Structure formats: structure tokens, C-alpha cells
Amino acid sequence: VEACLVLRWETTWDECDRSALSLSDDIKYIHERYVSHKSCYKESHKNAQNEERFLPLLYMYDSYHIPTQDWRSLLTPGGKRTIRDTPNDALVFALCLNPNEIDNIAHSGFDGIYTYFGSDGFTPGSTFSKWKSIVEKAHQKGLLVSISVGPGYDDVRIRPWNSANTKSRDNGKYYDRAWTAAIEANPDYISITSYNEWMEGTQIEEAIPQYLDETIYSGRPFAYQNYSPLAPDYYMTKTHEWAEKFVQHKNKE
């Protein structure tokens, strides 16, 4: 299977590092280190002069922690540290927790949004029933949309207080429901949360049941929701099937 990668960036917990300067340096590093690689996914994009370039996609996690003026400095033409129409340009996606944030995301200069969380109802942005209206509103603002789907959700190992947002895998049915809702919402992209984020119980990589006698977080026995009775590679196989359905759906437009 041929695959390409997009990159996800995370903020640091040091407030001093959250600035237009650090963001500009980070994106410059990403270009220098990764973007030229054949496995880095790049999307065709035309600038204001109608010149075509192929730009990487960057997903910015917790983007709302960084002030709007810093994003505008980086992502709008004429900004003090703008990447637009420079060798470091990219299609930059903000994390959207709530559709009420879409106006500000567009004002900040982002190219798109993504929803990240794999638990239906955890945030308004991750709520299946809201995806269609989120896509419509974002498109009205000229934003691309990447809806994030997941196979289930269970982060109580690291967030014991969050059990209300645990979602059973339901023998693969939860993943099917997520993909169905995402395709019906007609986004530009569908991202997957996640390939191997075990701490949130969203992994789809090939796996077999494993029981931990003790964990570094609680000191108590712990077992992830396993794939049984499904095959160890079930979620990888289903991902391929659903991705093909999404491509067919987009090709009909």
C-alpha cells in the first residue's frame, strides 16, 4: 500500500515558546527536514498570481492557545512573519473544538480546520451530528475541512475523570458509524485519530490483546479494549475499505 504523510504540530507548555517567531522557525524546520521527502503529502495550490505550487498540510493541535495576532502575523499576506508565497508556505489547519470558533479561525489566516477527538460528543467539533453543519459553515468562510474519525475512545488511563467520554469499539461498528457520518458531511479530507495513540484508546494499528499487571499512571491493573474477536489487522483493513469509499464519493462530485 502506498502512503503519504501529513504533519501534526503541538504547542509546548512553555508560554514563552508560543509566538509567531517560534511558529515561523518550526515551519521553516519542517520544510527543511521533511517536505522534500517523497512520502510527505503535498496538495496543489494556486497563489494570488495564479501560480501553482504543491504545499504540505500542517495540522496545528491546540492552536487556540496561541493569540490570533500571532497566527495572522504568520498566515496572512503582508504579516510580519508571513509564510505566504514564501518557500515555507503550507496549508495550515487549526484544531476546531466548536463551530463558534470558525469565524476567528478564518480571520487568523488558517487554510482549514480539523476536529481531532475520536469520541462522539466529547466536543461539539467531534460530535457526529454536527459535522455536516460544521463543513457547511467552514466552506462558507473559504476553509478546507478535515473531519477526524476514530475506532473508539478510552482515555481513563491518563484522564480518570473522563469516563463519560469513553466510547466502546462495539466490534468495529463505532468506526463504521464514524466513517459513515464523516462521508455524509462531505468534508475535503478525513483524518484518523489515531494510528497508535494508545493512551486515548484510539489506535488502529495491528494489535493483539495484552493485559498490564501494573501501570505507571495508577499502579493498578489495566487492559485496553482489544480487537477480539476481530482480526489483529481488522482496523487497518477497514481503513483501506472506507478510504476507498471516500475517494469514490469525492470522485462523483
Side-chain angles (χ1 to χ4, degrees):
V1 176
E2 183 178 349
C4 292
L5 303 177
V6 298
L7 299 170
R8 190 176 79 118
W9 177 95
E10 292 201 25
T11 55
T12 69
W13 291 108
D14 184 348
E15 292 290 346
C16 296
D17 286 341
R18 293 172 177 169
S19 68
L21 175 59
S22 67
L23 290 166
S24 178
D25 288 344
D26 289 345
I27 293 176
K28 182 174 183 291
Y29 173 82
I30 287 170
H31 270 271
E32 292 174 346
R33 184 69 178 85
Y34 301 109
V35 171
S36 63
H37 197 284
K38 65 180 181 180
S39 293
C40 179
Y41 178 76
K42 291 172 279 288
E43 185 79 33
S44 174
H45 175 76
K46 290 187 177 181
N47 62 16
Q49 291 74 43
N50 205 37
E51 299 167 335
E52 185 178 36
R53 291 182 60 192
F54 287 86
L55 304 180
L57 273 64
L58 303 181
Y59 284 40
M60 312 304 268
Y61 185 73
D62 277 358
S63 49
Y64 52 86
H65 284 306
I66 295 174
T68 297
Q69 61 266 26
D70 278 13
W71 286 120
R72 285 187 58 79
S73 176
L74 187 75
L75 300 179
T76 59
K80 186 176 180 180
R81 299 190 179 279
T82 188
I83 63 171
R84 299 310 185 193
D85 290 331
T86 74
N88 297 326
D89 207 349
L91 297 176
V92 186
F93 286 66
L95 173 59
C96 181
L97 300 180
N98 193 306
N100 293 336
E101 301 166 354
I102 289 175
D103 286 346
N104 186 62
I105 289 172
H107 177 68
S108 297
F110 285 97
D111 300 287
I113 62 172
Y114 79 111
T115 56
Y116 180 68
F117 289 100
S119 175
D120 184 15
F122 190 175
T123 70
S126 71
T127 302
F128 296 179
S129 63
K130 295 183 182 295
W131 283 347
K132 186 174 182 179
S133 62
I134 287 173
V135 171
E136 291 174 350
K137 182 174 182 179
H139 282 170
Q140 289 170 3
K141 293 295 180 179
L143 295 170
L144 298 166
V145 183
S146 178
I147 293 294
S148 303
V149 301
Y153 194 87
D154 186 357
D155 66 355
V156 295
R157 186 183 178 194
I158 56 173
R159 301 184 186 101
W161 44 265
N162 198 35
S163 60
N165 285 304
T166 296
K167 296 296 184 293
S168 170
R169 291 174 177 254
D170 195 18
N171 289 330
K173 295 178 183 178
Y174 181 88
Y175 201 41
D176 290 340
R177 292 195 295 271
W179 270 99
T180 298
I183 291 174
E184 290 177 350
N186 199 30
D188 303 283
Y189 308 95
I190 295 178
S191 54
I192 300 167
T193 307
S194 64
Y195 176 68
N196 61 355
E197 182 65 85
W198 285 83
M199 295 300 187
E200 293 181 350
T202 58
Q203 76 285 349
I204 62 168
E205 67 175 328
E206 186 172 347
I208 60 174
Q210 179 70 33
Y211 184 80
L212 303 179
D213 291 331
E214 185 175 343
T215 76
I216 61 174
Y217 291 96
S218 65
R220 297 189 301 271
F222 183 85
Y224 288 104
Q225 294 183 30
N226 65 59
Y227 304 170
S228 180
L230 306 173
D233 64 348
Y234 173 83
Y235 287 100
M236 295 300 292
T237 300
K238 290 298 291 186
T239 298
H240 183 260
E241 292 175 3
W242 277 112
E244 286 190 329
K245 291 179 181 179
F246 180 52
V247 170
Q248 292 169 4
H249 170 79
K250 299 302 289 185
N251 287 339
K252 291 179 181 178
E253 295 182 347

